[in-house]
Amino acid sequence: MNENYLILKQSLQTELLEKIMECSPQFFEQLIVNLIVAMGYGGSISDAGKAVGKSGDGGIDGIVKEDILGLDKIYLQGKRWANPVSRPDIQAFIGSLVGFKANKGIFITTSRFTKEEMEYSESIDKSLID
């Protein structure tokens, strides 16, 4: 039974990732905002967060209120990539956070993170989840 569960889970993950990769960048940016809001951040979907990604977005794809009052914000970056996310990618995101005077960020990818990136993100003083 457990083996069948794992097979079904892997199949669903693969199918879902393929569907996401077929969608537009705007869809993916809204998807990550919706995901964070569904996890309980910010209140209702209509005012809890918004996708802001576009040309000249400053490296930020979405902004979500951390709490229902909106006292603090979480900045989002999403990458629909096949290649792994590396340290320079995260450093660019950190630069975007600094540019927005933000303290909290979430970097979401369809790929994976390199070992060097993970070591770097653990060593910085920003609240970064990847």
Side-chain angles (χ1 to χ4, degrees):
M1 193 170 207
N2 190 38
E3 185 177 329
N4 287 338
Y5 166 76
L6 294 175
I7 291 169
L8 286 173
K9 179 180 172 184
Q10 180 62 44
S11 176
L12 180 60
Q13 287 174 335
T14 301
E15 185 177 337
L16 185 58
L17 184 57
E18 288 171 359
K19 295 279 186 199
I20 290 171
M21 295 298 281
E22 292 172 1
C23 294
S24 70
Q26 294 80 17
F27 173 85
F28 184 65
E29 291 163 359
Q30 190 61 56
L31 178 67
I32 65 173
V33 170
N34 292 350
L35 173 66
I36 301 302
V37 171
M39 291 172 66
Y41 291 92
S44 71
I45 189 69
S46 62
D47 71 348
K50 62 182 176 181
V52 297
K54 60 184 181 290
S55 180
D57 62 12
I60 300 296
D61 292 328
I63 303 169
V64 175
K65 295 177 184 176
E66 185 171 15
D67 57 73
I68 199 161
L69 297 174
L71 297 174
D72 205 356
K73 294 178 181 155
I74 302 170
Y75 290 76
L76 310 174
Q77 177 65 264
K79 295 293 184 193
R80 290 180 322 133
W81 286 353
N83 294 329
V85 175
S86 65
R87 180 178 173 157
D89 302 315
I90 295 300
Q91 287 174 314
F93 181 53
I94 296 297
S96 296
L97 293 178
V98 170
F100 282 92
K101 296 183 172 92
N103 292 317
K104 298 174 184 169
I106 301 173
F107 194 108
I108 298 174
T109 184
T110 54
S111 179
R112 61 182 180 80
F113 297 94
T114 65
K115 179 183 174 194
E116 294 78 17
E117 180 286 320
M118 294 173 74
E119 290 170 353
Y120 172 74
S121 64
E122 290 176 8
S123 72
I124 60 174
D125 64 354
K126 294 278 183 197
S127 292
L128 174 69
I129 303 297
D130 52 1

